[in-house]
Amino acid sequence: MTDFNTKNPFKIPENYFKNLEDSLLKNAKSISYSHGFTIPKDYFNTLEEDILHKAVKSNSFSRRKIAFGIATIAATLAVLLNLSSIENSETIIEDQAFNDYIESYYLDNSDGYEILSMLEEIDMGQDFEDYNKKPK
Amino acid sequence: METQQSLFISSLQEPETKEKAFKRLVQEYKERLYWHIRKLVLDHDDANDVVQNTFIKIHLNIDKFKGDSSLYTWMYRIATNESINFINSKSSKMGLQNQEWIEAKANGLKADSYFDGDEAALILQKIIAKLPEKQRIVFNMKYFDGQTYESMAKILDTSIGALKASYHHAVKKIKSQLND
């Protein structure tokens, strides 16, 4: 039985594939240049070097930009934290001063009965309980 | 099973292999991208600037490439956008519309040392320069680069129907101008 898989029945002209390659390359070239544009000699050789050089340079520049950005953010946060802690301590001092003022106002301007009436009942109840628990 | 392209993309995105893979990318695609850009901006020095900017952009953004299109489509799209941005920038600086700037460049081709075309090629370039931007890009990609509508649709993010219409109008205008 004839082995159809190993015997190719089709023939081609001599040097067909070599000629095909040349023809394809020639056509490709003619397509590229039919628009009339030309380039300097060895342009594509130097282009590669230029691109690689610039790409590495732009990459290291962008890394430095990122590092600078992080440093700036860290410094800004540090300044803001310091400012807020100063503000907080000032707020505490201000609140305390305000409380002292209120206290002294009432003490100076109210008699005993008025002060007593300001206390809530539950507080008074607790006060008396505590008083009763104290050893006599 | 990973394709050859996905392996190549991985090597472009890995820090250890990025530079070597990028070098290979430049070797592989520099001519194709250059010629695409050159036909849009016309001048060799301008095309040189744009192709370098294109590859730098590719280098900086390759980590963001998600693989939802082929690598070549993605790069081609960057090259097209960089060319358009370049034209916008140059024409704006000179106080011209994009088309005015391109037409001026086309009119200067005869004196351009890097233009070797005959009278017919020169006339064709001047007529192409008069086309609206989209038609000019589509015509160059279809006629000179032999791109299919399918690949152009991915590169330009435009429907095949719209591309066919653009190309049809471009060819009609060119034929009409050539007959005049």
Side-chain angles (χ1 to χ4, degrees):
Chain A
M1 174 96 173
T2 310
D3 188 349
F4 288 109
N5 283 335
T6 54
K7 193 174 173 187
N8 183 358
F10 300 109
K11 290 186 184 301
I12 51 170
E14 203 177 331
N15 293 325
Y16 170 70
F17 285 112
K18 173 72 176 58
N19 294 336
L20 175 65
E21 189 183 319
D22 291 343
S23 167
L24 284 171
L25 288 172
K26 190 180 162 192
N27 283 341
K29 255 193 176 171
S30 67
I31 286 167
S32 296
Y33 291 98
S34 64
H35 41 67
F37 298 118
T38 61
I39 50 171
K41 198 181 165 189
D42 292 328
Y43 169 65
F44 287 120
N45 293 335
T46 56
L47 174 63
E48 193 179 314
E49 283 171 30
D50 288 341
I51 288 168
L52 294 172
H53 175 71
K54 281 184 183 171
V56 168
K57 209 171 151 184
S58 69
N59 206 31
S60 62
F61 177 68
S62 66
R63 270 195 243 124
R64 269 188 271 136
K65 255 179 37 178
I66 291 165
F68 180 73
I70 292 169
T72 309
I73 291 166
T76 310
L77 279 171
V79 167
L80 283 171
L81 276 168
N82 274 330
L83 279 173
S84 75
S85 66
I86 289 166
E87 273 179 13
N88 282 343
S89 60
E90 280 177 357
T91 309
I92 289 166
I93 291 165
E94 280 173 7
D95 286 346
Q96 188 62 50
F98 181 70
N99 288 343
D100 290 345
Y101 167 75
I102 296 294
E103 203 176 66
S104 62
Y105 171 81
Y106 280 114
L107 287 171
D108 292 343
N109 297 287
S110 311
D111 62 19
Y113 287 109
E114 281 171 331
I115 292 168
L116 206 60
S117 70
M118 283 181 219
L119 293 171
E120 290 193 81
E121 280 186 34
I122 192 164
D123 289 336
M124 285 170 65
Q126 190 63 41
D127 284 338
F128 279 116
E129 269 187 46
D130 291 342
Y131 177 77
N132 289 330
K133 280 175 192 167
K134 278 179 193 171
K136 287 184 180 146
Chain B
M1 192 174 158
E2 277 194 290
T3 62
Q4 212 169 11
Q5 190 183 225
S6 61
L7 286 168
F8 183 51
I9 292 164
S10 299
S11 66
L12 282 163
Q13 292 172 333
E14 280 294 318
E16 297 86 33
T17 51
K18 183 174 183 173
E19 297 313 318
K20 194 175 173 185
F22 182 70
K23 189 173 178 179
R24 204 181 118 204
L25 189 81
V26 172
Q27 283 170 343
E28 182 81 29
Y29 292 106
K30 62 182 187 239
E31 290 192 42
R32 272 185 278 182
L33 291 185
Y34 170 84
W35 284 115
H36 168 60
I37 291 164
R38 178 73 187 271
K39 287 193 283 293
L40 295 179
V41 305
L42 304 182
D43 179 76
H44 164 69
D45 290 328
D46 292 343
N48 184 43
D49 287 343
V50 177
V51 76
Q52 294 197 37
N53 290 343
T54 297
F55 273 105
I56 288 166
K57 212 157 208 177
I58 290 166
H59 187 267
L60 288 172
N61 292 289
I62 190 66
D63 296 331
K64 294 174 197 160
F65 176 64
K66 292 185 183 79
D68 46 0
S69 66
S70 77
L71 185 60
Y72 182 59
T73 298
W74 181 70
M75 295 196 304
Y76 213 93
R77 194 184 297 143
I78 293 174
T80 306
N81 289 339
E82 283 297 301
S83 302
I84 294 168
N85 291 341
F86 180 85
I87 294 167
N88 288 343
S89 168
K90 286 283 181 179
S91 58
S92 167
K93 279 178 187 164
M94 293 179 73
L96 297 171
Q97 297 293 319
N98 290 7
Q99 202 159 330
E100 285 173 324
W101 187 82
I102 281 291
E103 281 186 52
K105 282 283 175 181
N107 289 335
L109 280 175
K110 194 168 184 181
D112 189 339
S113 55
Y114 292 119
F115 186 78
D116 202 20
D118 56 16
E119 195 62 31
L122 185 62
I123 291 169
L124 180 58
Q125 286 301 324
K126 285 181 181 177
I127 294 171
I128 292 170
K130 290 184 197 297
L131 295 172
E133 186 176 81
K134 200 62 176 270
Q135 287 179 21
R136 196 163 65 84
I137 293 170
V138 171
F139 182 81
N140 273 316
M141 287 173 76
K142 183 89 181 77
Y143 183 76
F144 288 117
D145 296 350
Q147 293 268 1
T148 63
Y149 285 117
E150 287 74 21
S151 67
M152 283 200 285
K154 288 175 188 168
I155 291 163
L156 300 175
D157 198 21
T158 308
S159 69
I160 290 174
L163 291 170
K164 285 182 176 175
S166 283
Y167 186 68
H168 168 76
H169 289 306
V171 168
K172 204 171 163 187
K173 280 179 194 169
I174 290 168
K175 277 184 177 171
S176 160
Q177 296 261 326
L178 284 170
N179 288 335
D180 291 345

